[in-house]
Amino acid sequence: MFIDKFNRVNLMIYSSLLRAFLVFLSTFCQTKETLPLLYVLVFIRFSVNCFYYPSRTSIVPTVVSKDDLLVANGLDGIVWSGMIFIGKNYFDFHTYC
């Protein structure tokens, strides 16, 4: 509901910039004393995701034709699952080696 009241493209751009800035700030949290700040930054970042991902999925029908919508949503799911699978296995492998 909230996302429908704003321009989705601008919402995606601003949320992406905010997420990038929050990730940049989190690189400075390297000691035990800055751990609470890191928790706050991660919480804010995932809160911003609540605006980005619905905007992204709702803009797909305006970019893709109606005939290709099923394929586009399927490819989006495959890419997302592949990213999670590869990322998890990569970091699990390097964590234990």
Side-chain angles (χ1 to χ4, degrees), residues 15-66:
S15 62
S16 292
L17 290 173
L18 181 59
R19 289 185 315 156
F21 181 68
L22 291 169
V23 169
F24 173 72
L25 286 179
S26 67
T27 60
F28 297 108
C29 299
Q30 297 179 356
T31 63
K32 208 185 296 186
E33 291 78 23
T34 59
L35 190 61
L37 176 62
L38 181 63
Y39 286 148
V40 170
L41 292 174
V42 169
F43 176 78
I44 294 171
R45 183 182 177 277
F46 281 103
S47 297
V48 171
N49 283 349
C50 294
F51 299 106
Y52 176 78
Y53 288 113
S55 297
R56 191 187 83 180
T57 56
S58 68
I59 208 167
V60 170
T62 60
V63 176
V64 178
S65 69
K66 192 169 187 153

